[in-house]
Amino acid sequence: MSNSILLVNPPAEVPRECYDTPDYPAIGIASVAGYLLKNGIECSVIDGKLSRLSVDDTIRQIIGRQPRILGLTAMTHMIVTAHKIAAAVKDQCPETIVVLGGFHGSFLPERTLREFPSFDYIVVGEGEIAFHKFVRAIFDGGDPSAIQGVASRQGQTIRINGRGEIADNLDELGMPAWELFPP
């Protein structure tokens, strides 16, 4: 297994509105990717909505890349689809660490970890700094469960460490990694 990081905006299983097939990239994963790149950590993205991928195509692409860390984002209306993707990836790539970010997990971290077993961790709140620290901990062989903004499951125990840090100056985060997305 490589040290690859893949950030994914899942597609809608059945597109119902214009926001399910936007003509712009997902800013959340673009911002997290930009912060990782700024700090010397390579990553890639799949924006299933922007690329008009099916859920099955998204799963195939993720499995084909066999990431060490898979970051998924989900608002509440996408949480079941995100978990479907996570479960399929875990089935084929059980060593992949699956991290959920986005609004649903941020507002319901304990419930989300209990309800959806294929998510290993949740980044709660702002994700740039917390996810960067998470990745560094994994790459260094450490335990990311104590990082501010990371929720984790250890057996039946759920550990929530507050919300992710917010930079004092948002310019410190750098630019979103728009270059990782298709034109």
Side-chain angles (χ1 to χ4, degrees):
M1 173 137 318
S2 71
N3 270 351
S4 67
I5 300 165
L6 179 58
L7 303 173
V8 176
N9 183 30
E13 288 197 73
V14 179
R16 292 187 173 95
E17 59 185 4
C18 63
Y19 301 109
D20 291 334
T21 55
D23 56 359
Y24 48 84
I27 191 166
I29 62 174
S31 294
V32 171
Y35 191 72
L36 291 175
L37 293 172
K38 179 180 181 239
N39 286 283
I41 298 174
E42 291 297 315
C43 62
S44 58
V45 302
I46 295 174
D47 190 335
K49 289 181 178 169
L50 180 65
S51 297
R52 310 297 192 260
L53 298 174
S54 69
V55 171
D56 288 340
D57 287 339
T58 303
I59 291 167
R60 278 191 283 279
Q61 284 194 25
I62 295 167
I63 291 170
R65 295 186 194 189
Q66 296 189 353
R68 180 163 184 206
I69 301 172
L70 170 61
L72 290 163
T73 185
M75 295 177 101
T76 297
H77 73 286
M78 291 297 300
I79 194 66
V80 172
T81 302
H83 186 258
K84 180 178 182 177
I85 292 169
V89 170
K90 290 294 248 182
D91 183 57
Q92 295 296 309
C93 305
E95 300 299 314
T96 295
I97 299 166
V98 179
V99 182
L100 177 70
F103 288 108
H104 187 87
S106 288
F107 288 101
L108 299 168
E110 182 173 357
R111 177 177 174 176
T112 303
L113 285 171
R114 291 199 192 286
E115 191 173 351
F116 300 105
S118 293
F119 300 134
D120 298 308
Y121 297 89
I122 296 177
V123 171
V124 178
E126 298 302 315
E128 292 85 356
I129 296 170
F131 191 71
H132 171 251
K133 289 181 177 182
F134 177 91
V135 169
R136 287 274 184 223
I138 294 296
F139 287 180
D140 293 343
D143 178 5
S145 65
I147 295 169
Q148 179 181 337
V150 173
S152 60
R153 178 190 317 100
Q154 295 166 349
Q156 295 299 314
T157 303
I158 304 292
R159 180 176 181 172
I160 301 170
N161 299 316
R163 298 182 67 76
E165 292 177 56
I166 299 174
D168 291 332
N169 178 350
L170 294 180
D171 290 339
E172 294 171 16
L173 298 177
M175 292 297 296
W178 300 124
E179 68 275 13
L180 299 180
F181 294 81

